[in-house]
Amino acid sequence: MTGALRIEGVAAEALARRFGTPLFVYSQAAILARLRRLRGGFSRPGTMVCYALKANPNRAVCGVLRQAGAGAEVVSGGELARALAAGFAPGKVVFTGVGKTGEEMALGLRQGILSFNVESGEELEALERTARRLRRRARICLRLNPDVRARTHPHVTTGRAENKFGVEESEALALAKKSRRSRWLDFQGLHCHIGSQIYELAPFQRAAAAVARALRKLEAAGLRISLIDMGGGIGVSYAGEKEIDPDELGKTMSRTFSPWPAARLLVEPGRYLSADCGTLLTAVLYRKRTSKRRFVIVDAAMNDFARPALYGAFHPILPARFRGGPCRRTDVVGPICESGDFLARQRPLQRLEQGDILALRMAGAYGFAMSSQYNSRPRAAEVLVEGRKARLVRRRETLSDIVRLEMP
Ligand SMILES: *Cc1c(COP(=O)(O)O)cnc(C)c1O
């Protein structure tokens, strides 16, 4: 097979020529297709999809989702600022995280966000103090730690009792009752997020059951439930894994939460919405061989895309121009001074030439968002493609950006 890779209506090689490499390219159609697919599964009236910004906080990506009616989930003041800059209405923004500072709380309170997902008793006290000082009521959910295991990478599981996230059921009950005594706290319901990159329905079912159990107890204690936030974590297929069917997930949640028809259901996908839309384009710098391996050294590295180095993650990688011919096992590595700096290992790839463009697929989530300037490498540029149009949505950093904030 021969031919040229396209991203929507634009040739990948043309993008690399026009904007340079390494380059993150996002397809608007792919983002919207994912949103549509997920919404299709959640037929429960009033369900809101809140995009978890941390997966890809680029303003243009956020803008696509915001225009399509999504809300936002943020985990820091910086993400809150970015969500607002991208035009999300504060009433569609929820704020999670175990270490919200007073300053971050104040920003959310002044804006009047939909919910602070509170993760500890001390945080609740701090939020109450800040709300009282600003004379702004804080709308809250308590983050329940349901102690369920989600089979995923240990770094991204969050719903076990040994993880730092959320509070156990008994504490959620105590804090909810306590919040009722403050006129500055407005208790709405529960939040729960058990981890990321989950391929099975069962952990979500167990988490939903745990939330429902706690909701019944809260109701029995006289608390009114208006919000149920089931977090994100839906896995995407990087290496042919079977993805959860959003219809089944939606049905499970609808069934479990049917006793609370007036409560608003939220889901907070990050990866599910943004992984598939993204491609990282990188150029082949050099080729070399040792007695054991065949390497291509490309101009993207672990500072641009950390997932392979950080999690041993597999990402499909393909040439932007297919020449055909035999494939040979190749390690695709970056220029950084660490052996952990690889994008792909022992991958069957066609013969490659210097200057060839490679496309690393499924790079839209936790890609640029996790990038750094490690080895003093300027961060890559980002481009959004819509049909035949491509638009720069974050310029490439320059060498002066590297030293810009340093003091003499
Ligand atoms: C990270 C995170 C998400 C999104 O996780 P994905 O796996 O990208 O869907 C949603 N909610 C919370 C609280 C998170 O921390």
PDB file of all heavy atoms in Angstrom, residues 74-84 95-96 99-101 103-105 107-108:
ATOM      1  N   VAL A  74     -12.539  21.134  36.334  1.00  0.00           N
ATOM      2  CA  VAL A  74     -11.192  21.665  36.514  1.00  0.00           C
ATOM      3  C   VAL A  74     -10.615  21.179  37.835  1.00  0.00           C
ATOM      4  O   VAL A  74     -11.351  20.857  38.774  1.00  0.00           O
ATOM      5  CB  VAL A  74     -11.181  23.213  36.465  1.00  0.00           C
ATOM      6  CG1 VAL A  74     -11.763  23.716  35.149  1.00  0.00           C
ATOM      7  CG2 VAL A  74     -11.939  23.824  37.644  1.00  0.00           C
ATOM      8  N   VAL A  75      -9.277  21.109  37.897  1.00  0.00           N
ATOM      9  CA  VAL A  75      -8.616  20.623  39.101  1.00  0.00           C
ATOM     10  C   VAL A  75      -7.599  21.622  39.659  1.00  0.00           C
ATOM     11  O   VAL A  75      -6.800  21.275  40.516  1.00  0.00           O
ATOM     12  CB  VAL A  75      -7.925  19.255  38.863  1.00  0.00           C
ATOM     13  CG1 VAL A  75      -8.948  18.171  38.596  1.00  0.00           C
ATOM     14  CG2 VAL A  75      -6.930  19.326  37.715  1.00  0.00           C
ATOM     15  N   SER A  76      -7.626  22.859  39.145  1.00  0.00           N
ATOM     16  CA  SER A  76      -6.729  23.884  39.683  1.00  0.00           C
ATOM     17  C   SER A  76      -7.271  25.258  39.306  1.00  0.00           C
ATOM     18  O   SER A  76      -8.132  25.371  38.411  1.00  0.00           O
ATOM     19  CB  SER A  76      -5.316  23.727  39.103  1.00  0.00           C
ATOM     20  OG  SER A  76      -5.306  24.096  37.734  1.00  0.00           O
ATOM     21  N   GLY A  77      -6.735  26.278  39.969  1.00  0.00           N
ATOM     22  CA  GLY A  77      -7.114  27.641  39.610  1.00  0.00           C
ATOM     23  C   GLY A  77      -6.725  27.965  38.180  1.00  0.00           C
ATOM     24  O   GLY A  77      -7.445  28.681  37.470  1.00  0.00           O
ATOM     25  N   GLY A  78      -5.598  27.415  37.738  1.00  0.00           N
ATOM     26  CA  GLY A  78      -5.157  27.635  36.368  1.00  0.00           C
ATOM     27  C   GLY A  78      -6.158  27.065  35.371  1.00  0.00           C
ATOM     28  O   GLY A  78      -6.496  27.705  34.370  1.00  0.00           O
ATOM     29  N   GLU A  79      -6.624  25.857  35.656  1.00  0.00           N
ATOM     30  CA  GLU A  79      -7.625  25.273  34.753  1.00  0.00           C
ATOM     31  C   GLU A  79      -8.938  26.042  34.808  1.00  0.00           C
ATOM     32  O   GLU A  79      -9.613  26.200  33.789  1.00  0.00           O
ATOM     33  CB  GLU A  79      -7.863  23.794  35.098  1.00  0.00           C
ATOM     34  CG  GLU A  79      -6.765  22.889  34.598  1.00  0.00           C
ATOM     35  CD  GLU A  79      -7.083  21.413  34.716  1.00  0.00           C
ATOM     36  OE1 GLU A  79      -8.166  21.048  35.244  1.00  0.00           O
ATOM     37  OE2 GLU A  79      -6.242  20.621  34.292  1.00  0.00           O
ATOM     38  N   LEU A  80      -9.271  26.541  36.007  1.00  0.00           N
ATOM     39  CA  LEU A  80     -10.492  27.348  36.120  1.00  0.00           C
ATOM     40  C   LEU A  80     -10.366  28.599  35.248  1.00  0.00           C
ATOM     41  O   LEU A  80     -11.284  28.947  34.492  1.00  0.00           O
ATOM     42  CB  LEU A  80     -10.740  27.703  37.594  1.00  0.00           C
ATOM     43  CG  LEU A  80     -11.942  28.584  37.915  1.00  0.00           C
ATOM     44  CD1 LEU A  80     -13.223  28.043  37.284  1.00  0.00           C
ATOM     45  CD2 LEU A  80     -12.130  28.702  39.435  1.00  0.00           C
ATOM     46  N   ALA A  81      -9.206  29.249  35.331  1.00  0.00           N
ATOM     47  CA  ALA A  81      -8.972  30.444  34.511  1.00  0.00           C
ATOM     48  C   ALA A  81      -9.059  30.103  33.024  1.00  0.00           C
ATOM     49  O   ALA A  81      -9.630  30.856  32.227  1.00  0.00           O
ATOM     50  CB  ALA A  81      -7.604  31.035  34.838  1.00  0.00           C
ATOM     51  N   ARG A  82      -8.503  28.967  32.657  1.00  0.00           N
ATOM     52  CA  ARG A  82      -8.534  28.569  31.248  1.00  0.00           C
ATOM     53  C   ARG A  82      -9.949  28.224  30.798  1.00  0.00           C
ATOM     54  O   ARG A  82     -10.342  28.546  29.669  1.00  0.00           O
ATOM     55  CB  ARG A  82      -7.617  27.365  31.016  1.00  0.00           C
ATOM     56  CG  ARG A  82      -6.172  27.743  31.020  1.00  0.00           C
ATOM     57  CD  ARG A  82      -5.313  26.543  30.799  1.00  0.00           C
ATOM     58  NE  ARG A  82      -4.604  26.642  29.534  1.00  0.00           N
ATOM     59  CZ  ARG A  82      -3.577  25.876  29.193  1.00  0.00           C
ATOM     60  NH1 ARG A  82      -3.168  24.931  30.012  1.00  0.00           N
ATOM     61  NH2 ARG A  82      -2.979  26.029  28.041  1.00  0.00           N
ATOM     62  N   ALA A  83     -10.723  27.573  31.668  1.00  0.00           N
ATOM     63  CA  ALA A  83     -12.107  27.236  31.316  1.00  0.00           C
ATOM     64  C   ALA A  83     -12.895  28.522  31.077  1.00  0.00           C
ATOM     65  O   ALA A  83     -13.656  28.639  30.106  1.00  0.00           O
ATOM     66  CB  ALA A  83     -12.753  26.400  32.423  1.00  0.00           C
ATOM     67  N   LEU A  84     -12.681  29.512  31.955  1.00  0.00           N
ATOM     68  CA  LEU A  84     -13.402  30.781  31.804  1.00  0.00           C
ATOM     69  C   LEU A  84     -12.944  31.496  30.537  1.00  0.00           C
ATOM     70  O   LEU A  84     -13.754  32.037  29.782  1.00  0.00           O
ATOM     71  CB  LEU A  84     -13.198  31.659  33.041  1.00  0.00           C
ATOM     72  CG  LEU A  84     -13.739  31.059  34.354  1.00  0.00           C
ATOM     73  CD1 LEU A  84     -13.251  31.870  35.556  1.00  0.00           C
ATOM     74  CD2 LEU A  84     -15.255  30.966  34.351  1.00  0.00           C
ATOM     75  N   PHE A  95     -15.261  22.024  40.159  1.00  0.00           N
ATOM     76  CA  PHE A  95     -13.872  22.152  40.598  1.00  0.00           C
ATOM     77  C   PHE A  95     -13.553  21.034  41.595  1.00  0.00           C
ATOM     78  O   PHE A  95     -14.101  20.998  42.691  1.00  0.00           O
ATOM     79  CB  PHE A  95     -13.700  23.539  41.244  1.00  0.00           C
ATOM     80  CG  PHE A  95     -12.274  23.946  41.566  1.00  0.00           C
ATOM     81  CD1 PHE A  95     -12.013  25.235  42.030  1.00  0.00           C
ATOM     82  CD2 PHE A  95     -11.199  23.083  41.417  1.00  0.00           C
ATOM     83  CE1 PHE A  95     -10.722  25.651  42.336  1.00  0.00           C
ATOM     84  CE2 PHE A  95      -9.907  23.479  41.705  1.00  0.00           C
ATOM     85  CZ  PHE A  95      -9.669  24.762  42.168  1.00  0.00           C
ATOM     86  N   THR A  96     -12.662  20.135  41.204  1.00  0.00           N
ATOM     87  CA  THR A  96     -12.267  18.995  42.030  1.00  0.00           C
ATOM     88  C   THR A  96     -10.804  19.170  42.442  1.00  0.00           C
ATOM     89  O   THR A  96     -10.100  19.998  41.866  1.00  0.00           O
ATOM     90  CB  THR A  96     -12.416  17.685  41.221  1.00  0.00           C
ATOM     91  OG1 THR A  96     -13.614  17.745  40.458  1.00  0.00           O
ATOM     92  CG2 THR A  96     -12.500  16.464  42.125  1.00  0.00           C
ATOM     93  N   GLY A  99      -6.285  19.564  47.033  1.00  0.00           N
ATOM     94  CA  GLY A  99      -5.489  20.636  47.642  1.00  0.00           C
ATOM     95  C   GLY A  99      -5.843  22.014  47.143  1.00  0.00           C
ATOM     96  O   GLY A  99      -4.947  22.823  46.875  1.00  0.00           O
ATOM     97  N   LYS A 100      -7.129  22.310  47.060  1.00  0.00           N
ATOM     98  CA  LYS A 100      -7.519  23.646  46.588  1.00  0.00           C
ATOM     99  C   LYS A 100      -7.032  24.697  47.593  1.00  0.00           C
ATOM    100  O   LYS A 100      -7.260  24.558  48.798  1.00  0.00           O
ATOM    101  CB  LYS A 100      -9.045  23.745  46.474  1.00  0.00           C
ATOM    102  CG  LYS A 100      -9.685  22.725  45.542  1.00  0.00           C
ATOM    103  CD  LYS A 100     -11.211  22.869  45.535  1.00  0.00           C
ATOM    104  CE  LYS A 100     -11.906  21.657  44.958  1.00  0.00           C
ATOM    105  NZ  LYS A 100     -12.016  20.518  45.935  1.00  0.00           N
ATOM    106  N   THR A 101      -6.410  25.737  47.096  1.00  0.00           N
ATOM    107  CA  THR A 101      -5.948  26.798  47.998  1.00  0.00           C
ATOM    108  C   THR A 101      -7.061  27.829  48.197  1.00  0.00           C
ATOM    109  O   THR A 101      -8.033  27.864  47.430  1.00  0.00           O
ATOM    110  CB  THR A 101      -4.728  27.532  47.402  1.00  0.00           C
ATOM    111  OG1 THR A 101      -5.148  28.197  46.200  1.00  0.00           O
ATOM    112  CG2 THR A 101      -3.598  26.562  47.072  1.00  0.00           C
ATOM    113  N   GLU A 103      -6.954  30.901  47.601  1.00  0.00           N
ATOM    114  CA  GLU A 103      -7.001  31.757  46.421  1.00  0.00           C
ATOM    115  C   GLU A 103      -7.831  31.117  45.305  1.00  0.00           C
ATOM    116  O   GLU A 103      -8.637  31.786  44.643  1.00  0.00           O
ATOM    117  CB  GLU A 103      -5.569  31.954  45.927  1.00  0.00           C
ATOM    118  CG  GLU A 103      -5.232  33.326  45.425  1.00  0.00           C
ATOM    119  CD  GLU A 103      -3.727  33.407  45.136  1.00  0.00           C
ATOM    120  OE1 GLU A 103      -2.936  33.062  46.039  1.00  0.00           O
ATOM    121  OE2 GLU A 103      -3.389  33.775  44.018  1.00  0.00           O
ATOM    122  N   GLU A 104      -7.623  29.822  45.117  1.00  0.00           N
ATOM    123  CA  GLU A 104      -8.377  29.092  44.076  1.00  0.00           C
ATOM    124  C   GLU A 104      -9.863  29.051  44.432  1.00  0.00           C
ATOM    125  O   GLU A 104     -10.732  29.209  43.574  1.00  0.00           O
ATOM    126  CB  GLU A 104      -7.819  27.678  43.911  1.00  0.00           C
ATOM    127  CG  GLU A 104      -6.438  27.641  43.275  1.00  0.00           C
ATOM    128  CD  GLU A 104      -5.830  26.241  43.249  1.00  0.00           C
ATOM    129  OE1 GLU A 104      -5.982  25.486  44.237  1.00  0.00           O
ATOM    130  OE2 GLU A 104      -5.201  25.897  42.246  1.00  0.00           O
ATOM    131  N   MET A 105     -10.136  28.850  45.723  1.00  0.00           N
ATOM    132  CA  MET A 105     -11.537  28.832  46.163  1.00  0.00           C
ATOM    133  C   MET A 105     -12.193  30.179  45.899  1.00  0.00           C
ATOM    134  O   MET A 105     -13.327  30.260  45.428  1.00  0.00           O
ATOM    135  CB  MET A 105     -11.616  28.503  47.654  1.00  0.00           C
ATOM    136  CG  MET A 105     -11.246  27.078  47.997  1.00  0.00           C
ATOM    137  SD  MET A 105     -11.138  26.904  49.795  1.00  0.00           S
ATOM    138  CE  MET A 105     -10.732  25.169  49.920  1.00  0.00           C
ATOM    139  N   LEU A 107     -11.494  32.427  43.678  1.00  0.00           N
ATOM    140  CA  LEU A 107     -11.773  32.610  42.245  1.00  0.00           C
ATOM    141  C   LEU A 107     -13.081  31.903  41.867  1.00  0.00           C
ATOM    142  O   LEU A 107     -13.947  32.478  41.202  1.00  0.00           O
ATOM    143  CB  LEU A 107     -10.596  32.070  41.410  1.00  0.00           C
ATOM    144  CG  LEU A 107     -10.752  32.119  39.890  1.00  0.00           C
ATOM    145  CD1 LEU A 107     -10.950  33.547  39.394  1.00  0.00           C
ATOM    146  CD2 LEU A 107      -9.532  31.495  39.199  1.00  0.00           C
ATOM    147  N   GLY A 108     -13.217  30.666  42.317  1.00  0.00           N
ATOM    148  CA  GLY A 108     -14.429  29.908  42.008  1.00  0.00           C
ATOM    149  C   GLY A 108     -15.674  30.517  42.630  1.00  0.00           C
ATOM    150  O   GLY A 108     -16.751  30.527  42.027  1.00  0.00           O
TER     151      GLY A 108
END
